[in-house]
Amino acid sequence: MTIVCEIAFLAARSASSAQAGPVELTTAWACLPDLIFLDLYTAARASAADPYVDDGAAPACLALLAFPSAEALERAADHARFKTGLTALGTSVLACTAMQRSEHAIADADAHAPLTAQFSYVVRYHRPAEDEALFVRHYLETHPPLLGRLPRIRNVLCYVPLAWRHPAGIPVADYMLGNEVVFDHSEHFNAAMASPLRHELRAHFRQFPSFSGRNTHYPMDRRRLFP
């Protein structure tokens, strides 16, 4: 398992700023102590269709910084370079959320595949639930095995938020759980969404423990900025 810090920020509004963002973030954050990787997620450029949900275009860019432990994240968050990256984002920072990320098995695979595919379906379950601990436990025990059977899926990742807040008081997202399914490209994702297993997944969703928060789904392109 890995500790990630998800920083959500407003999408760049011009081609010039879209080009500057990754450069500035890489310059600021690539040298952080104990940083394992830095990924940038932006709204998918290719068409992606889920027959059950359409939450519109992704409203934000996401930067994911990964660390080996919560203590390493704490040290990095207090580093001058971390603050430099936040300053580069300016007032566009929406939330800074620490989560524990777990990898889950893909059907018929002997081991977890490296995260190299660049299309991600980023899903977040927002609070509240009648019993959050029960919801999270039920999901992690029962849903990833179904996701791992989707045709041509490459990775299944789940995210559980930690009780951590950046010292500068940046808001924390109201997640109670997140998941991410990864494909080589949008065509494979669209084919998986048109498969019978997508209907099975929706039926399973209807059996989840009761929750009344939002459930958001965003097709996104992932770019590895570091290493």
Side-chain angles (χ1 to χ4, degrees):
M1 292 192 182
T2 304
I3 302 301
V4 300
C5 179
E6 179 195 275
I7 301 176
F9 55 97
L10 294 175
R13 298 184 181 276
S14 69
S16 60
S17 59
Q19 293 299 316
V23 173
E24 292 171 354
L25 296 181
T26 305
T27 301
W29 289 338
C31 63
L32 287 172
D34 299 316
L35 181 69
I36 300 173
F37 64 78
L38 168 60
D39 285 350
L40 182 68
Y41 294 72
T42 54
R45 292 166 291 179
S47 176
D50 183 330
Y52 287 104
V53 295
D54 181 2
D55 292 325
C61 296
L62 302 176
L64 244 64
L65 297 88
F67 299 92
S69 66
E71 293 76 18
L73 167 59
E74 190 73 36
R75 290 191 296 270
D78 195 44
H79 196 280
R81 282 289 187 175
F82 193 98
K83 299 171 185 176
T84 298
L86 292 178
T87 301
L89 295 173
T91 58
S92 64
V93 177
L94 301 175
C96 182
T97 308
M99 298 181 286
Q100 181 174 279
R101 181 163 97 170
S102 56
E103 298 184 53
H104 297 264
I106 301 300
D108 301 325
D110 294 330
H112 298 304
L115 183 58
T116 56
Q118 296 183 349
F119 178 91
S120 290
Y121 199 37
V122 177
V123 178
R124 298 291 185 260
Y125 293 86
H126 298 249
R127 297 184 173 103
E130 288 188 5
D131 186 332
E132 184 172 324
L134 173 64
F135 181 93
V136 171
R137 183 170 64 253
H138 176 86
Y139 184 99
L140 293 177
E141 291 176 355
T142 64
H143 208 58
L146 292 176
L147 293 169
R149 290 169 45 207
L150 284 166
R152 306 184 82 164
I153 191 168
R154 297 295 301 275
N155 304 89
V156 176
L157 308 168
C158 289
Y159 299 83
V160 177
L162 303 177
W164 179 85
R165 181 181 292 270
H166 188 271
I170 301 169
V172 176
D174 65 343
Y175 305 147
M176 60 180 177
L177 186 65
N179 103 298
E180 180 180 344
V181 289
V182 183
F183 296 83
D184 285 319
H185 43 69
S186 62
E187 289 87 352
H188 289 178
F189 169 78
N190 289 337
M193 292 298 98
S195 71
L197 189 59
R198 180 64 184 102
H199 307 303
E200 186 176 342
L201 283 162
R202 193 62 177 182
H204 187 252
F205 167 83
R206 297 189 180 105
Q207 299 171 9
F208 285 176
S210 178
F211 76 103
S212 55
R214 296 181 300 139
N215 177 214
T216 56
H217 307 71
Y218 296 119
M220 305 192 84
D221 293 327
R222 183 188 60 83
R223 176 180 174 186
R224 177 62 50 93
L225 302 183
F226 172 84

